[in-house]
């Protein structure tokens, strides 16, 4: 379980879903992501943002009337968060 000290305003479900999605997208760093999220509240916040962005992207992809430009924007956001997480994990070593 990930500690949420100092980040009580973050929806726990979004953070946990984001953490799970990040661990699936970055399998080589699963243990590191979990351990870092437990000790670094800002990474936990980033997981929440990632979870929310991915959930919105999933909904838009199912919606045939969704604007393709917005879908592309959310794909970019998700990719950028993945890059940010990777940087946090490897810059801290």
């Amino acid at each position: 379980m990930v500690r949420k000290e100092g980040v009580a305003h973050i929806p726990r479900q979004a953070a946990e879903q984001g953490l799970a999605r990040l661990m699936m997208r970055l399998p080589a760093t699963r243990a590191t992501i979990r351990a870092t999220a437990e000790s670094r509240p800002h990474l936990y916040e980033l997981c929440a943002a990632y979870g929310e962005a991915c959930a919105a992207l999933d909904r838009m992809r199912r919606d045939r009337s969704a604007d393709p430009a917005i879908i592309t924007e959310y794909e970019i956001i998700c990719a950028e968060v993945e890059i940010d997480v990777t940087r946090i994990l490897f810059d801290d070593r």
Side-chain angles (χ1 to χ4, degrees):
M1 190 63 60
V2 176
R3 290 187 319 216
K4 303 179 311 293
E5 296 165 3
V7 290
H9 62 283
I10 295 174
R12 175 188 164 109
Q13 182 179 5
E16 289 295 324
Q17 287 176 350
L19 181 62
R21 285 179 184 254
L22 280 165
M23 291 190 307
M24 288 186 329
R25 290 286 297 156
L26 307 168
T29 63
R30 284 182 184 151
T32 306
I33 291 171
R34 168 86 46 202
T36 304
E38 289 175 357
S39 64
R40 306 284 297 274
H42 71 282
L43 181 59
Y44 193 72
E45 291 175 7
L46 200 53
C47 290
Y50 186 75
E52 291 172 357
C54 287
L57 180 58
D58 289 345
R59 285 190 303 273
M60 286 186 282
R61 285 179 172 158
R62 288 189 301 268
D63 181 0
R64 296 188 190 275
S65 65
D67 183 347
I70 302 290
I71 291 173
T72 299
E73 184 176 332
Y74 270 80
E75 289 171 340
I76 291 168
I77 290 168
C78 291
E80 287 174 347
V81 172
E82 292 169 9
I83 291 167
D84 289 345
V85 167
T86 302
R87 284 185 183 141
I88 289 168
L89 296 176
F90 293 109
D91 286 347
D92 287 349
R93 288 185 177 184

